[in-house]
Amino acid sequence: MTLLDRSPAPTPGDPMDPMLPRRFRISHTRQDTRDTWTLELEPVDGLPIGYAAGQFTMLDAFGVGEVPISISGDPTRPGPLEHTIRDVGVVTHALITAPTGAVLGVRGPFGTSWDVADGEGGDVVFVAGGIGLAPLRPALLEVVARRDRYNRVVLLYGARTPEDILFGDELRTWAKDHGVVVEVTVDNGQHAWRGRVGFVTQLVPRAGFDPRNTLALVCGPETMMGYVASGLVDRGVPENRVRLSMERNMKCGVGLCGHCQLRELFVCVDGPVHAYDQLVPLLASREL
């Protein structure tokens, strides 16, 4: 799926129609940080969901509500459907506290993908802020699985505190076993933290990559993404080679409710992944 492709029209009655909720059973729940959990889901009917890195599904805690959540698993390998969820509301709390064996509703996948294969033959730079690493994880896993197709791979990651760093073991594995340059910084580095303290935007100017031959994927708070994208372009990365996952105010997942509208765009159907050159005039407007 390319950046601006929309989901194909479903066939009425098709059991794989992404508009139809399907039943998935929680097979494992892992606590990643103090407020973030990863759920592993298995299809009750045995039919897995195919997806591309960057897409999301609608997760339904029956009787509570439905929310859009990015897929955080590995799109190159069969296995459970993974979602990494921050406990920030009634529905997300119901999802992360559901016991192993509980059944959830899943619709999707929806949205555009990172299309990280566009970076083959060159450098790939990932820039994540906070839980923004979760939607980037599938693209990172795809690159790691096909590591020989890419040159320099750089991950710049910023978290609030050391306790908020996601996927710590994987960060070390990607660096040690797959040659990924991993740079981590935190906003508040108290306690025994010996790493960098500062914003992830400060890592961009000194990161080692060839801007003329780089694909950059960015996910995090919208303000952070704006500064990061601008910094990457200042380094010489073409605007159309910088991609941002907006995920702003997504609610229905099909462009009906209008919550995620960004002028002419509906983030849930035209995104969530957008090329920066498409977003530049929109991000400059405060009222959108």
Side-chain angles (χ1 to χ4, degrees):
M1 178 178 291
T2 59
L3 275 180
L4 295 180
D5 283 345
R6 299 192 182 195
S7 299
T11 302
D14 183 350
M16 302 304 286
D17 181 350
M19 294 301 296
L20 294 177
R22 295 177 54 203
R23 290 155 54 88
F24 276 67
R25 195 179 307 280
I26 298 174
S27 58
H28 181 67
T29 299
R30 180 187 72 239
Q31 184 169 7
D32 296 303
T33 70
R34 55 190 169 186
D35 63 359
T36 303
W37 283 257
T38 294
L39 269 56
E40 297 182 359
L41 307 175
E42 298 283 359
V44 172
D45 61 10
L47 298 175
I49 285 181
Y51 62 91
Q55 291 190 292
F56 67 95
T57 71
M58 300 295 296
L59 294 186
D60 190 346
F62 295 126
V64 182
E66 187 182 50
V67 288
I69 302 289
S70 293
I71 302 168
S72 61
D74 187 344
T76 69
R77 301 175 59 182
L81 184 65
E82 293 184 56
H83 291 81
T84 300
I85 303 169
R86 175 169 287 167
D87 184 10
V88 293
V90 174
V91 181
T92 54
H93 187 72
L95 291 169
I96 60 98
T97 57
T100 299
V103 174
L104 307 176
V106 178
R107 290 194 298 116
F110 297 112
T112 54
S113 73
W114 292 110
D115 286 330
V116 68
D118 290 347
E120 290 184 1
D123 296 349
V124 181
V125 176
F126 297 87
V127 188
I131 198 172
L133 184 57
L136 282 170
R137 181 172 177 256
L140 266 157
L141 293 171
E142 186 174 331
V143 168
V144 165
R146 298 158 181 162
R147 186 65 184 87
D148 59 326
R149 301 183 186 182
Y150 301 88
N151 296 332
R152 193 172 178 86
V153 180
V154 178
L155 168 60
L156 310 178
Y157 178 41
R160 288 175 297 180
T161 72
E163 291 75 25
D164 294 310
I165 294 173
L166 271 177
F167 313 133
D169 290 342
E170 285 186 287
L171 297 180
R172 287 182 283 274
T173 298
W174 293 335
K176 179 181 177 184
D177 298 342
H178 302 286
V180 178
V181 178
V182 178
E183 303 284 352
V184 178
T185 186
V186 298
D187 299 347
N188 185 345
Q190 297 180 355
H191 311 299
W193 177 250
R194 295 292 181 269
R196 291 187 176 85
V197 176
F199 298 125
V200 69
T201 51
Q202 296 171 301
L203 301 180
V204 174
R206 59 190 181 201
F209 58 87
D210 177 5
R212 297 164 300 177
N213 193 24
T214 287
L215 177 69
L217 310 180
V218 185
C219 190
E222 200 165 302
T223 300
M224 166 234 138
M225 289 197 293
Y227 281 107
V228 166
S230 177
L232 289 165
V233 171
D234 288 345
R235 285 279 310 265
V237 182
E239 289 184 345
N240 63 359
R241 299 283 289 174
V242 178
R243 295 172 185 172
L244 283 61
S245 184
M246 297 300 289
E247 302 188 7
R248 67 152 61 191
N249 302 324
M250 292 197 303
K251 187 173 179 64
C252 72
V254 291
L256 291 178
C257 72
H259 276 73
C260 65
Q261 186 169 5
L262 187 58
R263 206 167 69 184
E264 67 270 24
L265 301 179
F266 289 92
V267 172
C268 67
V269 292
D270 296 308
V273 179
H274 301 267
Y276 183 54
D277 59 345
Q278 183 185 25
L279 294 173
V280 167
L282 307 181
L283 292 176
S285 300
R286 291 179 177 270
E287 302 302 323
L288 295 176

